[in-house]
Amino acid sequence: MNKILVTGGAGYIGSHTVLLLIKAGYDIVIFDNFCNSSSESIRRVEKLVDKKIDLIEGDIRSTEDLQRAFDTYNIDSVIHFAGLKAVGESVEQPLNYYDNNVNGTVTLCEVMARNGCKKIIFSSSATVYGDPATTPILESFPTSATNPYGRSKLMIEEILRDLYISDKEWKIVLLRYFNPVGADSSGTIGEDPNGIPNNLMPFIAQTAVGKREYLSVFGDDYDTIDGTGVRDYIHVVDLAQGHLNAVERIDNFDEVMTINLGTGRGYSVLEMVKAFEKASGKRVPYKIAPRRAGDIATCFADPSYAKEVLDWEAQKGIEEMCQDSWRWQSNNPDGYRSESSNI
Ligand code: NAD
Ligand code: WQD
């Protein structure tokens, strides 16, 4: 049976996608170097599906590691999550980000081509829209980047488009995610950031569970409903389902597909805090702090193209996002390092 290679499959979005793929009957192998994840996420997915998951521990920058995967399995397509994703860190370590994200993707595509595997679904990001002139954001909007992380995503998009121009046998889907949050409803897998979280949801969750004293709200003078930043938060399970729909349809596409995955609805920081307090029954103390450099006021998707070409739309609302985040956080206060008797 043909396999799907899932790079970065031990990570936050990858592990949720692997769970859905296996539940739907796909045969997959995870390829990960665990630089930002642990094998515990895979062990927990194995528990949920009651099945052993194939794994190649390796680096996407290593031709040898990748070739080992192709020598071991009959790989038909790739879902490519592997990469570094912290905006601030990318400013401090640009070469590391370009090496991991851009060189890693080039190496991956070279090895894929050499092995006659020419189908790839790539994790892009709403960050490629920079500071959009208007919202909701359509795929046709101009792109730009303000940091090395965002630039690495833009470069990879361009590289993959060039690859298609050079060889029309390639099937390429670029999925631009908005703000992934939430967790599988089992509460056993979820987002497990190293150190102090950069993103809003894990920070709120860690504050509610008592690991952080208060949330700093970065700016309350934006031109938004309450002055705080507005984003399109999307449940990670909906996001994972978007990949399954792409896998099902990829053979029918005869151009590079660039598709937003968002809900089409924006919520402010303070709206998220309120929703989380309601879902968790805990207080989330916060203080207003200065704006964070590089942040924009408002970002939300027009998701109608995903509906048209993937027959996909987000199903889960803000309540479910907060409830599922809370279940994961409260069951696993220290993420995958937590002691847990029932997992
Ligand atoms: P994550 O860090 O949880 O997962 C990424 C995985 O890739 C990790 O398991 C990590 O160990 C692995 N990895 C990194 N570099 C590697 C390398 N060189 N070789 C092999 N494995 C490597 O991140 P995530 O949130 O699951 O994000 C997945 C993808 O989606 C990333 O490409 C990210 O840029 C993109 N994305 C994420 C978000 C978000 O907010 N989480 C938003 C838009 C796009
Ligand atoms: C959301 C809102 C903050 C933390 C980032 C990347 C983007 C994508 C998703 C990968 C903003 C506010 C946050 C805090 C706060 N990742 N905030 N206090 O910045 O929209 O997107 O993650 O591709 O590329 O840039 O997400 O969760 O960091 O912030 O007030 O402690 O919450 O100012 O308005 P962002 P975020």
PDB file of all heavy atoms in Angstrom, residues 1-5 21-22 25-29 51 54:
ATOM      1  N   MET A   1       0.850  -1.209   0.000  1.00  0.00           N
ATOM      2  CA  MET A   1       0.000   0.000   0.000  1.00  0.00           C
ATOM      3  C   MET A   1       0.888   1.263   0.000  1.00  0.00           C
ATOM      4  O   MET A   1       1.909   1.288   0.659  1.00  0.00           O
ATOM      5  CB  MET A   1      -0.871  -0.020   1.254  1.00  0.00           C
ATOM      6  CG  MET A   1      -1.888   1.087   1.306  1.00  0.00           C
ATOM      7  SD  MET A   1      -2.940   0.862   2.777  1.00  0.00           S
ATOM      8  CE  MET A   1      -3.803   2.406   2.819  1.00  0.00           C
ATOM      9  N   ASN A   2       0.465   2.248  -0.757  1.00  0.00           N
ATOM     10  CA  ASN A   2       1.240   3.495  -0.800  1.00  0.00           C
ATOM     11  C   ASN A   2       1.096   4.268   0.494  1.00  0.00           C
ATOM     12  O   ASN A   2       0.029   4.322   1.078  1.00  0.00           O
ATOM     13  CB  ASN A   2       0.761   4.379  -1.955  1.00  0.00           C
ATOM     14  CG  ASN A   2       1.168   3.781  -3.280  1.00  0.00           C
ATOM     15  OD1 ASN A   2       2.095   2.985  -3.336  1.00  0.00           O
ATOM     16  ND2 ASN A   2       0.469   4.167  -4.320  1.00  0.00           N
ATOM     17  N   LYS A   3       2.213   4.885   0.874  1.00  0.00           N
ATOM     18  CA  LYS A   3       2.229   5.585   2.156  1.00  0.00           C
ATOM     19  C   LYS A   3       2.315   7.084   1.950  1.00  0.00           C
ATOM     20  O   LYS A   3       2.880   7.560   0.959  1.00  0.00           O
ATOM     21  CB  LYS A   3       3.477   5.170   2.925  1.00  0.00           C
ATOM     22  CG  LYS A   3       3.246   4.065   3.939  1.00  0.00           C
ATOM     23  CD  LYS A   3       4.507   3.951   4.761  1.00  0.00           C
ATOM     24  CE  LYS A   3       4.572   2.824   5.716  1.00  0.00           C
ATOM     25  NZ  LYS A   3       3.507   2.586   6.626  1.00  0.00           N
ATOM     26  N   ILE A   4       1.822   7.813   2.947  1.00  0.00           N
ATOM     27  CA  ILE A   4       2.023   9.261   2.995  1.00  0.00           C
ATOM     28  C   ILE A   4       3.148   9.528   3.990  1.00  0.00           C
ATOM     29  O   ILE A   4       3.094   9.056   5.131  1.00  0.00           O
ATOM     30  CB  ILE A   4       0.748   9.996   3.453  1.00  0.00           C
ATOM     31  CG1 ILE A   4      -0.435   9.667   2.531  1.00  0.00           C
ATOM     32  CG2 ILE A   4       0.999  11.501   3.504  1.00  0.00           C
ATOM     33  CD1 ILE A   4      -1.764  10.246   3.014  1.00  0.00           C
ATOM     34  N   LEU A   5       4.170  10.260   3.547  1.00  0.00           N
ATOM     35  CA  LEU A   5       5.241  10.676   4.460  1.00  0.00           C
ATOM     36  C   LEU A   5       4.797  11.982   5.117  1.00  0.00           C
ATOM     37  O   LEU A   5       4.474  12.947   4.409  1.00  0.00           O
ATOM     38  CB  LEU A   5       6.536  10.903   3.673  1.00  0.00           C
ATOM     39  CG  LEU A   5       7.756  11.318   4.493  1.00  0.00           C
ATOM     40  CD1 LEU A   5       8.332  10.124   5.238  1.00  0.00           C
ATOM     41  CD2 LEU A   5       8.829  11.930   3.596  1.00  0.00           C
ATOM     42  N   LEU A  21      -5.621  11.057   9.799  1.00  0.00           N
ATOM     43  CA  LEU A  21      -5.256  10.238   8.628  1.00  0.00           C
ATOM     44  C   LEU A  21      -5.402   8.753   8.959  1.00  0.00           C
ATOM     45  O   LEU A  21      -5.980   7.987   8.175  1.00  0.00           O
ATOM     46  CB  LEU A  21      -3.809  10.539   8.199  1.00  0.00           C
ATOM     47  CG  LEU A  21      -3.562  11.856   7.461  1.00  0.00           C
ATOM     48  CD1 LEU A  21      -2.066  12.171   7.435  1.00  0.00           C
ATOM     49  CD2 LEU A  21      -4.105  11.813   6.028  1.00  0.00           C
ATOM     50  N   ILE A  22      -4.876   8.360  10.121  1.00  0.00           N
ATOM     51  CA  ILE A  22      -4.940   6.937  10.489  1.00  0.00           C
ATOM     52  C   ILE A  22      -6.397   6.521  10.718  1.00  0.00           C
ATOM     53  O   ILE A  22      -6.835   5.471  10.243  1.00  0.00           O
ATOM     54  CB  ILE A  22      -4.063   6.645  11.725  1.00  0.00           C
ATOM     55  CG1 ILE A  22      -2.599   6.918  11.384  1.00  0.00           C
ATOM     56  CG2 ILE A  22      -4.240   5.196  12.192  1.00  0.00           C
ATOM     57  CD1 ILE A  22      -1.651   6.796  12.559  1.00  0.00           C
ATOM     58  N   GLY A  25      -8.045   5.686   7.655  1.00  0.00           N
ATOM     59  CA  GLY A  25      -7.565   4.500   6.938  1.00  0.00           C
ATOM     60  C   GLY A  25      -6.328   4.716   6.083  1.00  0.00           C
ATOM     61  O   GLY A  25      -5.918   3.816   5.356  1.00  0.00           O
ATOM     62  N   TYR A  26      -5.720   5.901   6.169  1.00  0.00           N
ATOM     63  CA  TYR A  26      -4.479   6.124   5.402  1.00  0.00           C
ATOM     64  C   TYR A  26      -3.300   5.436   6.083  1.00  0.00           C
ATOM     65  O   TYR A  26      -3.268   5.299   7.310  1.00  0.00           O
ATOM     66  CB  TYR A  26      -4.178   7.623   5.276  1.00  0.00           C
ATOM     67  CG  TYR A  26      -5.119   8.337   4.342  1.00  0.00           C
ATOM     68  CD1 TYR A  26      -6.212   9.051   4.828  1.00  0.00           C
ATOM     69  CD2 TYR A  26      -4.928   8.290   2.965  1.00  0.00           C
ATOM     70  CE1 TYR A  26      -7.092   9.706   3.975  1.00  0.00           C
ATOM     71  CE2 TYR A  26      -5.802   8.941   2.100  1.00  0.00           C
ATOM     72  CZ  TYR A  26      -6.877   9.646   2.617  1.00  0.00           C
ATOM     73  OH  TYR A  26      -7.738  10.276   1.765  1.00  0.00           O
ATOM     74  N   ASP A  27      -2.329   5.065   5.250  1.00  0.00           N
ATOM     75  CA  ASP A  27      -1.111   4.446   5.744  1.00  0.00           C
ATOM     76  C   ASP A  27      -0.048   5.542   5.751  1.00  0.00           C
ATOM     77  O   ASP A  27       0.208   6.168   4.716  1.00  0.00           O
ATOM     78  CB  ASP A  27      -0.727   3.318   4.773  1.00  0.00           C
ATOM     79  CG  ASP A  27       0.325   2.413   5.362  1.00  0.00           C
ATOM     80  OD1 ASP A  27       0.578   2.493   6.569  1.00  0.00           O
ATOM     81  OD2 ASP A  27       0.902   1.629   4.587  1.00  0.00           O
ATOM     82  N   ILE A  28       0.561   5.787   6.891  1.00  0.00           N
ATOM     83  CA  ILE A  28       1.461   6.942   6.985  1.00  0.00           C
ATOM     84  C   ILE A  28       2.784   6.555   7.658  1.00  0.00           C
ATOM     85  O   ILE A  28       2.864   5.568   8.391  1.00  0.00           O
ATOM     86  CB  ILE A  28       0.822   8.114   7.774  1.00  0.00           C
ATOM     87  CG1 ILE A  28       0.612   7.729   9.252  1.00  0.00           C
ATOM     88  CG2 ILE A  28      -0.498   8.537   7.171  1.00  0.00           C
ATOM     89  CD1 ILE A  28       1.502   8.484  10.169  1.00  0.00           C
ATOM     90  N   VAL A  29       3.808   7.360   7.409  1.00  0.00           N
ATOM     91  CA  VAL A  29       5.046   7.259   8.178  1.00  0.00           C
ATOM     92  C   VAL A  29       5.446   8.674   8.591  1.00  0.00           C
ATOM     93  O   VAL A  29       5.390   9.601   7.775  1.00  0.00           O
ATOM     94  CB  VAL A  29       6.180   6.540   7.399  1.00  0.00           C
ATOM     95  CG1 VAL A  29       6.382   7.109   6.005  1.00  0.00           C
ATOM     96  CG2 VAL A  29       7.500   6.584   8.180  1.00  0.00           C
ATOM     97  N   LYS A  51      -2.635   1.344  17.499  1.00  0.00           N
ATOM     98  CA  LYS A  51      -1.857   0.869  16.357  1.00  0.00           C
ATOM     99  C   LYS A  51      -0.452   1.447  16.448  1.00  0.00           C
ATOM    100  O   LYS A  51      -0.287   2.568  16.911  1.00  0.00           O
ATOM    101  CB  LYS A  51      -2.537   1.445  15.096  1.00  0.00           C
ATOM    102  CG  LYS A  51      -2.361   0.605  13.883  1.00  0.00           C
ATOM    103  CD  LYS A  51      -3.203   1.160  12.740  1.00  0.00           C
ATOM    104  CE  LYS A  51      -2.568   0.655  11.477  1.00  0.00           C
ATOM    105  NZ  LYS A  51      -2.969   1.307  10.306  1.00  0.00           N
ATOM    106  N   ASP A  54       4.583   3.997  12.046  1.00  0.00           N
ATOM    107  CA  ASP A  54       5.934   3.952  11.493  1.00  0.00           C
ATOM    108  C   ASP A  54       6.600   5.316  11.653  1.00  0.00           C
ATOM    109  O   ASP A  54       5.962   6.355  11.471  1.00  0.00           O
ATOM    110  CB  ASP A  54       5.884   3.560  10.011  1.00  0.00           C
ATOM    111  CG  ASP A  54       5.462   2.108   9.846  1.00  0.00           C
ATOM    112  OD1 ASP A  54       5.849   1.278  10.691  1.00  0.00           O
ATOM    113  OD2 ASP A  54       4.719   1.813   8.895  1.00  0.00           O
TER     114      ASP A  54
END
